[in-house]
Amino acid sequence: MRNYELIYVLRPNLEEEAKTAVLDKVKGIIESSGEVVKVDTWGTRKLAYEIEKLTEGYYVLINFKSTSEVPKEIDRNLKIMDNAIRHMIVKLDEK
């Protein structure tokens, strides 16, 4: 299994239940054939530039280990979610 890092940004005006639902969905995808190492919720922060007329976003960072198929599935799901503004998945170097 490889180490990955996922960061995603949600709309800042979402209800707490919607934020939790997105996190649970992503965790479920990861745990289908991998494991969540660490979840770090950064909360609402100012965006570097305006996206869809928004100046703030709700940030979540997840470190996980999985097969190479899981990041593709996470990417596919986050692209079709209306609540997700941006996301990025990075493969970490083996140490």
Side-chain angles (χ1 to χ4, degrees):
M1 289 204 280
R2 296 181 177 154
N3 292 319
Y4 294 95
E5 184 174 80
L6 161 68
I7 188 162
Y8 63 86
V9 183
L10 300 176
R11 297 180 180 281
N13 55 358
L14 287 178
E15 299 287 327
E16 197 60 41
E17 297 87 33
K19 294 174 186 174
T20 306
V22 173
L23 179 60
D24 290 344
K25 180 161 181 112
V26 171
K27 281 172 127 181
I29 294 168
I30 293 169
E31 290 168 351
S32 66
S33 61
E35 66 175 280
V36 176
V37 176
K38 180 180 164 190
V39 176
D40 191 8
T41 304
W42 294 359
T44 304
R45 296 194 175 205
K46 187 168 173 50
L47 297 173
Y49 54 91
E50 193 174 288
I51 302 172
E52 299 176 12
K53 301 192 183 205
L54 297 171
T55 57
E56 291 184 332
Y58 184 82
Y59 286 75
V60 178
L61 174 73
I62 302 174
N63 291 42
F64 63 97
K65 293 180 180 181
S66 71
T67 62
S68 61
E69 297 302 315
V70 172
K72 294 174 190 171
E73 184 64 18
I74 293 171
D75 184 53
R76 187 183 72 77
N77 277 276
L78 286 174
K79 280 182 180 176
I80 60 175
M81 282 186 197
D82 292 333
N83 295 332
I85 303 172
R86 291 281 190 274
H87 69 280
M88 183 169 63
I89 304 170
V90 179
K91 184 177 111 180
L92 300 175
D93 293 333
E94 299 296 324
K95 293 183 179 179

